[in-house]
Amino acid sequence: MELSDSSGSSSTVTQSMCHVRASELYPKRDLETDESPPTLEPPLVPFVPLAGESVEYLGRGANNTVLALSNYRFYLKVSNEGSKRRRGIQDSNIPLGLIEMIEIKDLFYMIISCKDSRTCRCTFTTNDLCLEWYKRLTRVIVSPKNVQDVFAFAFHAWAIEDQCNEDISLNLGHDGDDDYFMKEIERLNISVQSDNSKWRISKVNWDFKLCASYPNRLLVPSCITDQTLEAAAKFRSSKRVPVIVWRHKGNGAILARCSQPEVGWLGWRSSEDEDLLKAIAESCQNKSKKPKKLIVIDARSYPSAVANRARGGGCECPEYYPGCEIRFMNLANIHAVRKSFHLLRQLCASPPDLPNWYSLLENTRWLHNISGLLHAANTVAATIEFEMQPVLVHCSDGWDRTPQIVSLAELMLDSYYRTIDGFRVLCQREWLDFGHKFADRGQGEDPNERCPVFIQWLDCVHNVMSQHPCAFEFSKTYLVKLAQHTYSNLFGTFLCNSGAERKRTGIGTATFSVWKHLAASAECKNHLYSSQPDNVLWISCNVRDMNLWRDLYVGPFTDGPQLTKPTEICNSILGMEGVIDPIIRIDQPIVINSEGPCIEFTKPEDIISLDEKDDKSSDTNSSSLSSIIAEENGIERHSSPTNCILNTVDGLLPLVDDVQNRLRQLILEHKTREAALQNELHVTRLVLLRQASHRCNGIEATTTPDVNGLSLADRTDDDQHRRRDDIVVGTCGVVRCSANPVGTGSRSYPVYVVRQQVLAGKAEASL
């Protein structure tokens, strides 16, 4: 660019863009409002938008409900008039990232199914309006091709530019460059600096050159070179080589993770991989004891592991790994877990008065899968704690069932991971840095890749917390919030499939972190927490001991009794008989879906054992709702009081936890009472010191108190008394109390006799 100065000469200068405004990078769209009936006023936006949030569509549904769609959420506001509020029906506030599927039922009903098992039903006056809102929602829930189009980037840019408000500035932050890796090495007493160390930190994967789904630094035995790691990685699926993630500080047993070996039908082997597993077992060997075996925990069943050999996978052959013992956990794969979750969501959306509700819950096999995961974690924890043997955990690829088992075992063995900061470190290492595919599992374009693996693990943590309510620093609200924000797209913590992708897109600095938001939230702290550093949590993993995560899947109880049966209400409104008992008899309705033109519902008799079938179908049929969900049923989850204020940080409704709310109230009352006692103690101390000052000055105390319970001497020459109070406070060492108190009643005070002597310019008090 050429510029001319005053002398007429020209010079070439280089201009660079110093700042791009958020309004230019993420512009807000104009509001489009549907035409309202002449008898109604135009609707208003029912919530306060967050930074960078813009409401794009606003309209009305049936029964005078208000619908609002922004670039962050879908909001359904129930009318304040009518019987719905009296029956406890509340507003629905759903982030767009949580929406998994949208269906149209019977022309006028739009049903929204969420990834956290919630279900929302919208009723419209016309079919055209229903189709229009269906198209709007279908368009905005499609996964963006560019990750920077996610709302988390716009939220961050606008919040930074607007300087945030006080709540946002105190509750939001970045993941930053927290070097938890070295802190964990030091905390677990893993020596990597000395010459005779058993372990070392390898940088063979620096800049993700070896494995894109592994962290930069790997903890391996010191006798294993980088060349051996590279050769062993070629023998493991996706090059996910065995590495150490945790060590028992008491007995020295270690916990490692990897993916399946690529044995294949021909029985391939790798000497480098065999040496690596042998070195892992020897790294925790005690010279005074017998040699230890490496216990390999395979999350699959033995038939599934053998069947994987047809696709180039398999399991460790005992003849090639003589120092290893293999144990199979028989856990369901992602396809069975996805089908189980869809059946659970279908059940939670059904009427609450079904007489066989628990039988249908058993048919979903969801609690059975939770029990299996906890049993596998118990096995790992017992092997390390009691048998004192090193453990290696893997499944097929090592990024689904493997982090579930490893992180649960660490949670049971190490009390640090049960704190708020420790839980963050646990999720960061085992789930984020070791490459769980959050993008594919939650918002992937391929339905076969979707599966609520992380939600299932949080459900396991919830069951552990239910059996040990005082062992965790965070509350159940913490887990619910974490489950919601896993897919809400408000934070960048769980975007992308690996740390390499997050680093390449700059998510760490261009979005906010969910961890600071949860740590700063008062409702996420467990007031029953009792720190026990060396306590190991043992879980009763029987199916009968499992609890359904009601706070997430079903929601709290609605306010007020329900005097009319939901089936009678719904049938009277729709003019249809028997449609509310659809899980018992279904008429196979036609449903429009974003994933296909038509969907059929699944009958209960079609439900089969999830462990008997290892299919790759998308299971979309089973995910469809089998019933019309009436608003009058009171099944709008996460309900709260009608006039409840949304959270100023994430824009969601606050969760209800009566136990924690009562504990917070008791803590506040205790602090108030303590402050009152301290104030009364301070006043009493001043009164006593004034009496001592009076006696030192030769003033006789009278026994006639005033209305405040103070004697005449206490009210004589107040200024002089204050000056003497300072002297008495600093110099009175021993005070003798007389038998005759001053004053009467509850405010009577004893008379103190103090004799002052002036020695060397210093006032002293003695008996």
Side-chain angles (χ1 to χ4, degrees):
M1 180 177 182
E2 291 187 355
L3 298 177
S4 298
D5 55 16
S6 59
S7 62
S9 61
S10 62
S11 61
T12 302
V13 297
T14 302
Q15 286 188 344
S16 62
M17 184 179 296
C18 298
H19 177 69
V20 178
R21 296 181 58 84
S23 58
E24 299 173 355
L25 191 59
Y26 302 100
K28 295 184 179 181
R29 297 183 180 180
D30 297 333
L31 175 63
E32 180 179 340
T33 305
D34 297 337
E35 294 184 3
S36 301
T39 57
L40 297 176
E41 298 181 357
L44 301 176
V45 177
F47 57 87
V48 178
L50 301 178
E53 183 181 8
S54 59
V55 180
E56 301 175 8
Y57 300 102
L58 191 63
R60 289 189 182 275
N63 302 318
N64 200 21
T65 58
V66 177
L67 292 84
L69 178 61
S70 71
N71 56 343
Y72 167 59
R73 75 182 99 184
F74 171 75
Y75 198 99
L76 173 64
K77 180 177 178 58
V78 181
S79 174
N80 291 324
E81 301 177 356
S83 60
K84 296 178 183 178
R85 290 291 187 189
R86 293 194 298 269
R87 282 196 289 268
I89 305 302
Q90 305 298 330
D91 301 345
S92 296
N93 187 11
I94 307 174
L96 299 180
L98 274 175
I99 299 177
E100 183 176 8
M101 184 176 58
I102 306 172
E103 303 170 351
I104 291 182
K105 182 67 187 288
D106 295 334
L107 302 179
F108 304 109
Y109 304 97
M110 183 175 67
I111 300 174
I112 302 174
S113 301
C114 300
K115 299 168 186 175
D116 61 351
S117 185
R118 281 191 295 171
T119 302
C120 174
R121 177 178 180 268
C122 307
T123 308
F124 297 90
T125 55
T126 64
N127 176 251
D128 293 338
L129 188 59
C130 182
L131 286 174
E132 181 62 26
W133 276 94
Y134 169 80
K135 294 177 182 178
R136 292 171 180 175
L137 279 172
T138 302
R139 185 168 56 251
V140 297
I141 66 173
V142 176
S143 300
K145 296 181 179 179
N146 187 359
V147 69
Q148 294 185 351
D149 294 334
V150 175
F151 176 72
F153 290 86
F155 175 59
H156 178 271
W158 279 87
I160 295 298
E161 183 175 290
D162 295 343
Q163 301 298 324
C164 304
N165 55 37
E166 184 177 356
D167 291 336
I168 292 180
S169 61
L170 294 177
N171 291 273
L172 293 178
H174 303 86
D175 285 325
D177 298 326
D178 180 25
D179 190 10
Y180 75 87
F181 181 83
M182 295 306 301
K183 295 178 181 178
E184 282 290 276
I185 293 293
E186 181 179 357
R187 188 183 68 86
L188 296 174
N189 297 331
I190 300 178
S191 176
V192 295
Q193 302 294 339
S194 60
D195 296 336
N196 57 350
S197 299
K198 296 181 180 180
W199 304 276
R200 72 179 183 91
I201 299 175
S202 173
K203 296 185 179 180
V204 67
N205 196 41
W206 197 254
D207 291 335
F208 311 101
K209 294 179 180 179
L210 178 65
C211 178
S213 58
Y214 260 28
N216 280 322
R217 292 171 292 185
L218 306 177
L219 183 62
V220 296
S222 57
C223 60
I224 299 298
T225 63
D226 290 348
Q227 291 76 16
T228 303
L229 287 175
E230 293 175 353
K234 296 178 182 179
F235 186 66
R236 293 285 172 171
S237 177
S238 302
K239 296 186 177 182
R240 296 174 65 87
V241 65
V243 294
I244 301 169
V245 295
W246 185 81
R247 176 180 179 270
H248 194 286
K249 291 189 291 185
N251 56 42
I254 58 94
L255 179 61
R257 58 177 294 175
C258 63
S259 61
Q260 65 177 342
E262 294 183 340
V263 179
W265 280 121
L266 300 178
W268 299 105
R269 62 185 298 183
S270 170
S271 60
E272 291 82 3
D273 187 76
E274 296 168 11
D275 294 339
L276 177 56
L277 265 61
K278 181 180 179 181
I280 290 177
E282 293 177 350
S283 64
C284 52
Q285 181 67 44
N286 192 329
K287 296 181 180 180
S288 62
K289 296 182 180 180
K290 61 180 181 179
K292 295 184 178 181
K293 277 192 174 184
L294 177 63
I295 308 300
V296 179
I297 301 294
D298 195 326
R300 305 164 294 180
S301 63
Y302 178 73
S304 298
V306 174
N308 270 296
R309 297 183 65 174
R311 291 176 288 186
C315 61
E316 291 79 5
C317 300
E319 56 270 20
Y320 298 159
Y321 300 89
C324 298
E325 178 184 340
I326 306 176
R327 302 176 184 176
F328 297 94
M329 294 293 104
N330 195 24
L331 297 180
N333 59 18
I334 62 171
H335 312 291
V337 172
R338 178 177 61 248
K339 185 173 183 178
S340 176
F341 182 76
H342 288 171
L343 292 174
L344 175 67
R345 182 173 59 195
Q346 171 183 328
L347 177 61
C348 292
S350 64
D353 62 342
L354 290 176
N356 59 338
W357 200 91
Y358 281 99
S359 298
L360 297 173
L361 177 62
E362 180 184 2
N363 291 336
T364 65
R365 306 278 290 179
W366 182 256
L367 295 183
H368 179 273
N369 294 331
I370 298 295
S371 173
L373 277 173
L374 291 175
H375 172 72
N378 261 347
T379 301
V380 174
T383 303
I384 294 177
E385 180 70 19
F386 296 138
E387 301 179 20
M388 295 181 287
Q389 303 284 4
V391 176
L392 174 67
V393 181
H394 72 74
C395 52
S396 296
D397 296 310
W399 50 48
D400 290 318
R401 287 168 286 188
T402 297
Q404 287 179 326
I405 298 174
V406 170
S407 53
L408 280 175
E410 293 174 1
L411 197 70
M412 296 165 59
L413 291 169
D414 197 333
S415 61
Y416 170 69
Y417 298 127
R418 301 193 285 269
T419 64
I420 292 179
D421 185 66
F423 194 77
R424 173 190 64 84
V425 172
L426 181 67
C427 295
Q428 181 69 39
R429 182 183 66 227
E430 303 298 345
W431 290 92
L432 294 168
D433 289 350
F434 274 94
H436 174 66
K437 302 196 295 184
F438 281 98
D440 291 347
R441 293 293 179 259
Q443 306 179 29
E445 297 180 359
D446 186 4
N448 290 322
E449 289 292 319
R450 295 182 184 178
C451 182
V453 176
F454 189 68
I455 300 295
Q456 185 188 32
W457 177 74
L458 291 178
D459 198 338
C460 293
V461 178
H462 161 263
N463 274 277
V464 177
M465 186 181 297
S466 298
Q467 297 187 24
H468 300 275
C470 300
F472 293 83
E473 188 181 9
F474 49 88
S475 64
K476 294 181 180 180
T477 300
Y478 182 99
L479 296 179
V480 174
K481 283 282 187 179
L482 184 59
Q484 292 176 342
H485 288 303
T486 300
Y487 306 115
S488 69
N489 290 337
L490 183 64
F491 302 97
T493 304
F494 299 106
L495 297 179
C496 300
N497 286 324
S498 63
E501 294 182 15
R502 283 184 284 271
K503 182 178 180 181
R504 185 171 59 253
T505 54
I507 288 179
T509 57
T511 61
F512 289 119
S513 171
V514 70
W515 304 120
K516 184 177 180 180
H517 166 57
L518 295 177
S521 178
E523 62 180 356
C524 292
K525 292 181 175 58
N526 181 18
H527 299 286
L528 290 173
Y529 173 63
S530 176
S531 178
Q532 298 178 357
D534 298 328
N535 184 31
V536 179
L537 303 184
W538 299 110
I539 310 302
S540 178
C541 53
N542 301 313
V543 177
R544 68 175 184 180
D545 298 320
M546 299 296 101
N547 294 321
L548 182 68
W549 196 358
R550 178 184 173 86
D551 292 337
L552 183 66
Y553 303 143
V554 181
F557 293 101
T558 54
D559 296 332
Q562 193 170 5
L563 303 180
T564 308
K565 292 184 178 180
T567 54
E568 298 175 357
I569 297 175
C570 186
N571 292 340
S572 62
I573 292 178
L574 299 178
M576 303 171 65
E577 294 295 336
V579 295
I580 272 309
D581 200 7
I583 298 186
I584 301 176
R585 52 185 184 273
I586 302 175
D587 297 328
Q588 298 293 342
I590 298 177
V591 180
I592 300 176
N593 190 327
S594 59
E595 299 177 357
C598 179
I599 287 183
E600 296 180 353
F601 291 131
T602 301
K603 295 183 179 180
E605 54 266 23
D606 295 333
I607 300 177
I608 62 174
S609 175
L610 299 180
D611 293 336
E612 297 175 357
K613 189 174 182 180
D614 182 13
D615 56 68
K616 286 286 183 177
S617 62
S618 62
D619 296 316
T620 313
N621 294 347
S622 64
S623 67
S624 302
L625 291 174
S626 65
S627 63
I628 295 179
I629 303 160
E631 293 173 351
E632 288 75 14
N633 284 349
I635 55 175
E636 297 286 344
R637 251 75 65 194
H638 306 289
S639 62
S640 58
T642 303
N643 298 325
C644 189
I645 301 177
L646 300 181
N647 189 292
T648 58
V649 179
D650 59 12
L652 301 182
L653 293 171
L655 302 176
V656 179
D657 192 334
D658 294 335
V659 174
Q660 297 298 328
N661 290 341
R662 178 55 181 162
L663 288 174
R664 281 195 292 268
Q665 182 181 3
L666 291 175
I667 292 174
L668 181 60
E669 293 176 356
H670 173 75
K671 291 182 178 180
T672 304
R673 191 180 299 111
E674 182 181 7
L677 290 175
Q678 289 180 351
N679 184 46
E680 184 176 355
L681 179 62
H682 176 70
V683 173
T684 304
R685 184 183 296 112
L686 290 180
V687 171
L688 297 179
L689 293 176
R690 286 181 179 179
Q691 293 178 5
S693 175
H694 296 163
R695 303 305 300 173
C696 293
N697 198 33
I699 301 177
E700 295 296 333
T702 64
T703 59
T704 304
D706 61 0
V707 293
N708 296 323
L710 301 178
S711 62
L712 178 62
D714 292 330
R715 292 181 278 108
T716 305
D717 198 4
D718 190 56
D719 292 338
Q720 183 179 1
H721 292 166
R722 287 197 187 95
R723 291 193 296 270
R724 291 190 177 277
D725 285 343
D726 297 335
I727 299 176
V728 172
V729 170
T731 61
C732 288
V734 180
V735 180
R736 179 170 56 85
C737 179
S738 68
N740 300 322
V742 176
T744 59
S746 60
R747 293 297 298 268
S748 301
Y749 300 102
V751 176
Y752 287 84
V753 180
V754 177
R755 183 174 72 252
Q756 286 188 337
Q757 296 178 349
V758 180
L759 300 174
K762 175 192 265 188
E764 293 185 353
S766 61
L767 291 175

